Amino acid sequence: MPDLTSTEIAGRIEDLYGAPLTDLEAHARDQPPGMLAALLGMHRELALAERSITYHRDRLARLVHPEQRLGRHEVSHVLDCARRLTEAVAVRDTHSKATADVLQSLHRVPAPQDQTPARTPVPVPPVPAPATPASHTR
């Protein structure tokens, strides 16, 4: 499965649970930890990684802008920013793949019918009459 963005993951979670992400987050806060909480946590981490990528990509572009002077001090910033950008991409790719794999394995279960099927009564076998002591005939 291809890597998905946090927006695509959010859409998949909403489709799976049949509610908007904000409602699901509120619901998950009131519940014990489970699959929904795990998916929402994975989504949050993915979104954070995407924001980090955007920030470090933009910062790196500013640092290496042709009009910027690139001295000894700036080179260490460029290298640090490139390292952080690489880490954020690795985190994003990992969370994206793991979350997509989990979502692919889950399916929405149809809502139960309002009416339960009528049960057919199981016939109860008749209880035998208690045995009376047999009279001896001669």
Side-chain angles (χ1 to χ4, degrees):
M1 173 166 266
D3 291 342
L4 300 175
T5 66
S6 62
T7 304
E8 292 168 323
I9 293 290
R12 292 258 181 105
I13 294 170
E14 289 174 342
D15 290 345
L16 181 65
Y17 285 90
L21 207 58
T22 52
D23 292 350
L24 294 172
E25 288 168 346
H27 175 72
R29 280 191 295 270
D30 300 334
Q31 302 297 316
M35 182 57 72
L36 177 58
L39 287 170
L40 293 172
M42 294 167 84
H43 173 261
R44 274 191 304 276
E45 292 297 321
L46 177 58
L48 179 63
E50 288 175 343
R51 287 191 302 274
S52 183
I53 289 169
T54 301
Y55 172 80
H56 291 295
R57 184 191 61 222
D58 293 348
R59 182 167 182 252
L60 188 59
R62 286 190 308 273
L63 288 169
V64 298
H65 191 272
E67 295 177 8
Q68 284 286 79
R69 191 179 136 237
L70 198 58
R72 183 179 198 153
H73 180 71
E74 289 79 19
V75 169
S76 67
H77 289 286
V78 168
L79 292 174
D80 181 60
C81 190
R83 178 186 61 79
R84 290 174 187 254
L85 178 59
T86 303
E87 289 172 355
V89 168
V91 168
R92 184 222 32 217
D93 291 350
T94 301
H95 279 289
S96 176
K97 174 134 179 48
T99 308
D101 288 347
V102 169
L103 284 170
Q104 186 178 17
S105 73
L106 300 174
H107 303 286
R108 188 165 186 186
V109 177
Q113 297 289 335
D114 287 340
Q115 297 176 353
T116 57
R119 289 186 169 177
T120 55
V122 177
V124 178
V127 179
T132 57
S135 48
H136 293 279
T137 56
R138 291 188 191 191

mmCIF file of all heavy atoms in Angstrom, residues 11-36:
data_model
loop_
_atom_site.group_PDB
_atom_site.id
_atom_site.type_symbol
_atom_site.label_atom_id
_atom_site.label_comp_id
_atom_site.label_asym_id
_atom_site.label_seq_id
_atom_site.Cartn_x
_atom_site.Cartn_y
_atom_site.Cartn_z
ATOM 1 N N GLY A 11 -9.295 10.776 6.571
ATOM 2 C CA GLY A 11 -10.478 10.377 5.808
ATOM 3 C C GLY A 11 -10.792 8.902 5.956
ATOM 4 O O GLY A 11 -11.955 8.509 6.096
ATOM 5 N N ARG A 12 -9.756 8.064 5.957
ATOM 6 C CA ARG A 12 -9.962 6.628 6.122
ATOM 7 C C ARG A 12 -10.511 6.302 7.512
ATOM 8 O O ARG A 12 -11.382 5.446 7.656
ATOM 9 C CB ARG A 12 -8.644 5.872 5.918
ATOM 10 C CG ARG A 12 -8.125 5.902 4.502
ATOM 11 C CD ARG A 12 -8.432 4.566 3.836
ATOM 12 N NE ARG A 12 -7.951 4.501 2.492
ATOM 13 C CZ ARG A 12 -6.874 3.817 2.105
ATOM 14 N NH1 ARG A 12 -6.155 3.174 2.981
ATOM 15 N NH2 ARG A 12 -6.538 3.789 0.846
ATOM 16 N N ILE A 13 -9.977 6.982 8.537
ATOM 17 C CA ILE A 13 -10.469 6.749 9.903
ATOM 18 C C ILE A 13 -11.928 7.171 10.011
ATOM 19 O O ILE A 13 -12.755 6.466 10.586
ATOM 20 C CB ILE A 13 -9.593 7.486 10.941
ATOM 21 C CG1 ILE A 13 -8.181 6.880 10.972
ATOM 22 C CG2 ILE A 13 -10.215 7.425 12.333
ATOM 23 C CD1 ILE A 13 -7.175 7.693 11.779
ATOM 24 N N GLU A 14 -12.254 8.329 9.428
ATOM 25 C CA GLU A 14 -13.645 8.805 9.453
ATOM 26 C C GLU A 14 -14.566 7.830 8.736
ATOM 27 O O GLU A 14 -15.675 7.547 9.214
ATOM 28 C CB GLU A 14 -13.726 10.194 8.811
ATOM 29 C CG GLU A 14 -13.109 11.271 9.648
ATOM 30 C CD GLU A 14 -13.067 12.630 8.961
ATOM 31 O OE1 GLU A 14 -13.199 12.690 7.715
ATOM 32 O OE2 GLU A 14 -12.894 13.624 9.663
ATOM 33 N N ASP A 15 -14.129 7.305 7.592
ATOM 34 C CA ASP A 15 -14.946 6.330 6.860
ATOM 35 C C ASP A 15 -15.145 5.053 7.667
ATOM 36 O O ASP A 15 -16.243 4.499 7.709
ATOM 37 C CB ASP A 15 -14.300 5.976 5.517
ATOM 38 C CG ASP A 15 -14.351 7.119 4.513
ATOM 39 O OD1 ASP A 15 -15.131 8.078 4.732
ATOM 40 O OD2 ASP A 15 -13.602 7.059 3.514
ATOM 41 N N LEU A 16 -14.078 4.609 8.313
ATOM 42 C CA LEU A 16 -14.137 3.370 9.080
ATOM 43 C C LEU A 16 -15.092 3.480 10.265
ATOM 44 O O LEU A 16 -15.886 2.585 10.527
ATOM 45 C CB LEU A 16 -12.735 2.994 9.574
ATOM 46 C CG LEU A 16 -12.614 1.706 10.373
ATOM 47 C CD1 LEU A 16 -12.961 0.500 9.502
ATOM 48 C CD2 LEU A 16 -11.204 1.566 10.926
ATOM 49 N N TYR A 17 -15.019 4.619 10.972
ATOM 50 C CA TYR A 17 -15.842 4.782 12.182
ATOM 51 C C TYR A 17 -17.134 5.557 11.929
ATOM 52 O O TYR A 17 -17.959 5.678 12.829
ATOM 53 C CB TYR A 17 -15.019 5.452 13.285
ATOM 54 C CG TYR A 17 -14.033 4.500 13.914
ATOM 55 C CD1 TYR A 17 -12.747 4.359 13.414
ATOM 56 C CD2 TYR A 17 -14.410 3.704 14.995
ATOM 57 C CE1 TYR A 17 -11.849 3.468 13.979
ATOM 58 C CE2 TYR A 17 -13.519 2.817 15.567
ATOM 59 C CZ TYR A 17 -12.232 2.701 15.054
ATOM 60 O OH TYR A 17 -11.363 1.817 15.611
ATOM 61 N N GLY A 18 -17.303 6.094 10.728
ATOM 62 C CA GLY A 18 -18.552 6.754 10.374
ATOM 63 C C GLY A 18 -18.826 8.047 11.118
ATOM 64 O O GLY A 18 -19.985 8.362 11.393
ATOM 65 N N ALA A 19 -17.774 8.794 11.458
ATOM 66 C CA ALA A 19 -17.943 10.063 12.174
ATOM 67 C C ALA A 19 -16.746 10.964 11.870
ATOM 68 O O ALA A 19 -15.678 10.479 11.499
ATOM 69 C CB ALA A 19 -18.048 9.814 13.679
ATOM 70 N N PRO A 20 -16.929 12.284 12.036
ATOM 71 C CA PRO A 20 -15.810 13.211 11.821
ATOM 72 C C PRO A 20 -14.694 12.979 12.851
ATOM 73 O O PRO A 20 -14.959 12.534 13.975
ATOM 74 C CB PRO A 20 -16.430 14.598 12.012
ATOM 75 C CG PRO A 20 -17.902 14.394 11.950
ATOM 76 C CD PRO A 20 -18.169 12.974 12.334
ATOM 77 N N LEU A 21 -13.485 13.295 12.464
ATOM 78 C CA LEU A 21 -12.316 13.057 13.316
ATOM 79 C C LEU A 21 -12.434 13.769 14.667
ATOM 80 O O LEU A 21 -12.079 13.191 15.694
ATOM 81 C CB LEU A 21 -11.050 13.514 12.582
ATOM 82 C CG LEU A 21 -9.758 12.831 12.966
ATOM 83 C CD1 LEU A 21 -9.833 11.337 12.759
ATOM 84 C CD2 LEU A 21 -8.600 13.410 12.189
ATOM 85 N N THR A 22 -12.960 14.983 14.679
ATOM 86 C CA THR A 22 -13.095 15.705 15.949
ATOM 87 C C THR A 22 -14.046 14.982 16.897
ATOM 88 O O THR A 22 -13.775 14.908 18.100
ATOM 89 C CB THR A 22 -13.589 17.154 15.717
ATOM 90 O OG1 THR A 22 -14.772 17.119 14.915
ATOM 91 C CG2 THR A 22 -12.530 17.991 15.016
ATOM 92 N N ASP A 23 -15.126 14.433 16.359
ATOM 93 C CA ASP A 23 -16.059 13.661 17.195
ATOM 94 C C ASP A 23 -15.399 12.386 17.705
ATOM 95 O O ASP A 23 -15.591 11.988 18.859
ATOM 96 C CB ASP A 23 -17.323 13.296 16.415
ATOM 97 C CG ASP A 23 -18.179 14.512 16.075
ATOM 98 O OD1 ASP A 23 -17.907 15.615 16.606
ATOM 99 O OD2 ASP A 23 -19.115 14.354 15.268
ATOM 100 N N LEU A 24 -14.613 11.745 16.840
ATOM 101 C CA LEU A 24 -13.932 10.517 17.242
ATOM 102 C C LEU A 24 -12.894 10.785 18.327
ATOM 103 O O LEU A 24 -12.739 9.997 19.259
ATOM 104 C CB LEU A 24 -13.274 9.858 16.029
ATOM 105 C CG LEU A 24 -14.237 9.331 14.964
ATOM 106 C CD1 LEU A 24 -13.468 8.882 13.729
ATOM 107 C CD2 LEU A 24 -15.088 8.208 15.519
ATOM 108 N N GLU A 25 -12.200 11.912 18.213
ATOM 109 C CA GLU A 25 -11.208 12.269 19.234
ATOM 110 C C GLU A 25 -11.888 12.504 20.582
ATOM 111 O O GLU A 25 -11.399 12.055 21.619
ATOM 112 C CB GLU A 25 -10.414 13.490 18.800
ATOM 113 C CG GLU A 25 -9.446 13.195 17.665
ATOM 114 C CD GLU A 25 -8.865 14.428 17.018
ATOM 115 O OE1 GLU A 25 -9.374 15.554 17.247
ATOM 116 O OE2 GLU A 25 -7.878 14.273 16.272
ATOM 117 N N ALA A 26 -13.027 13.197 20.562
ATOM 118 C CA ALA A 26 -13.769 13.436 21.807
ATOM 119 C C ALA A 26 -14.267 12.114 22.384
ATOM 120 O O ALA A 26 -14.188 11.895 23.596
ATOM 121 C CB ALA A 26 -14.941 14.379 21.546
ATOM 122 N N HIS A 27 -14.748 11.240 21.536
ATOM 123 C CA HIS A 27 -15.245 9.933 21.987
ATOM 124 C C HIS A 27 -14.103 9.102 22.574
ATOM 125 O O HIS A 27 -14.274 8.460 23.609
ATOM 126 C CB HIS A 27 -15.892 9.194 20.817
ATOM 127 C CG HIS A 27 -16.317 7.802 21.143
ATOM 128 N ND1 HIS A 27 -17.393 7.506 21.936
ATOM 129 C CD2 HIS A 27 -15.774 6.604 20.790
ATOM 130 C CE1 HIS A 27 -17.513 6.199 22.054
ATOM 131 N NE2 HIS A 27 -16.535 5.628 21.365
ATOM 132 N N ALA A 28 -12.945 9.128 21.932
ATOM 133 C CA ALA A 28 -11.809 8.311 22.386
ATOM 134 C C ALA A 28 -11.295 8.761 23.748
ATOM 135 O O ALA A 28 -10.794 7.946 24.519
ATOM 136 C CB ALA A 28 -10.691 8.357 21.350
ATOM 137 N N ARG A 29 -11.439 10.044 24.053
ATOM 138 C CA ARG A 29 -10.974 10.544 25.363
ATOM 139 C C ARG A 29 -11.788 9.938 26.502
ATOM 140 O O ARG A 29 -11.290 9.807 27.614
ATOM 141 C CB ARG A 29 -11.079 12.071 25.420
ATOM 142 C CG ARG A 29 -9.939 12.776 24.738
ATOM 143 C CD ARG A 29 -9.956 14.266 25.052
ATOM 144 N NE ARG A 29 -11.115 14.954 24.519
ATOM 145 C CZ ARG A 29 -11.170 15.518 23.319
ATOM 146 N NH1 ARG A 29 -10.132 15.460 22.520
ATOM 147 N NH2 ARG A 29 -12.265 16.126 22.915
ATOM 148 N N ASP A 30 -13.032 9.601 26.236
ATOM 149 C CA ASP A 30 -13.923 9.069 27.268
ATOM 150 C C ASP A 30 -13.915 7.545 27.344
ATOM 151 O O ASP A 30 -14.690 6.971 28.112
ATOM 152 C CB ASP A 30 -15.366 9.537 27.004
ATOM 153 C CG ASP A 30 -15.490 11.053 27.012
ATOM 154 O OD1 ASP A 30 -14.668 11.709 27.676
ATOM 155 O OD2 ASP A 30 -16.403 11.566 26.339
ATOM 156 N N GLN A 31 -13.091 6.899 26.540
ATOM 157 C CA GLN A 31 -13.077 5.438 26.467
ATOM 158 C C GLN A 31 -11.726 4.892 26.930
ATOM 159 O O GLN A 31 -10.717 5.592 26.879
ATOM 160 C CB GLN A 31 -13.311 4.987 25.016
ATOM 161 C CG GLN A 31 -14.603 5.475 24.411
ATOM 162 C CD GLN A 31 -15.812 4.944 25.134
ATOM 163 O OE1 GLN A 31 -15.889 3.776 25.472
ATOM 164 N NE2 GLN A 31 -16.783 5.809 25.393
ATOM 165 N N PRO A 32 -11.697 3.641 27.335
ATOM 166 C CA PRO A 32 -10.405 3.018 27.619
ATOM 167 C C PRO A 32 -9.613 2.906 26.311
ATOM 168 O O PRO A 32 -10.204 2.889 25.234
ATOM 169 C CB PRO A 32 -10.758 1.642 28.171
ATOM 170 C CG PRO A 32 -12.217 1.473 28.024
ATOM 171 C CD PRO A 32 -12.823 2.766 27.593
ATOM 172 N N PRO A 33 -8.288 2.839 26.400
ATOM 173 C CA PRO A 33 -7.488 2.733 25.172
ATOM 174 C C PRO A 33 -7.920 1.537 24.324
ATOM 175 O O PRO A 33 -8.229 0.476 24.856
ATOM 176 C CB PRO A 33 -6.062 2.538 25.685
ATOM 177 C CG PRO A 33 -6.078 3.031 27.087
ATOM 178 C CD PRO A 33 -7.476 2.830 27.599
ATOM 179 N N GLY A 34 -7.956 1.768 23.034
ATOM 180 C CA GLY A 34 -8.355 0.713 22.100
ATOM 181 C C GLY A 34 -7.863 1.061 20.710
ATOM 182 O O GLY A 34 -6.987 1.918 20.535
ATOM 183 N N MET A 35 -8.422 0.415 19.708
ATOM 184 C CA MET A 35 -7.999 0.611 18.326
ATOM 185 C C MET A 35 -8.206 2.047 17.869
ATOM 186 O O MET A 35 -7.351 2.627 17.208
ATOM 187 C CB MET A 35 -8.736 -0.357 17.397
ATOM 188 C CG MET A 35 -8.301 -0.243 15.949
ATOM 189 S SD MET A 35 -6.532 -0.484 15.674
ATOM 190 C CE MET A 35 -6.407 -2.228 15.947
ATOM 191 N N LEU A 36 -9.332 2.658 18.231
ATOM 192 C CA LEU A 36 -9.586 4.039 17.822
ATOM 193 C C LEU A 36 -8.520 4.967 18.390
ATOM 194 O O LEU A 36 -7.966 5.797 17.670
ATOM 195 C CB LEU A 36 -10.979 4.494 18.259
ATOM 196 C CG LEU A 36 -11.328 5.951 17.953
ATOM 197 C CD1 LEU A 36 -11.230 6.248 16.460
ATOM 198 C CD2 LEU A 36 -12.704 6.296 18.485
#
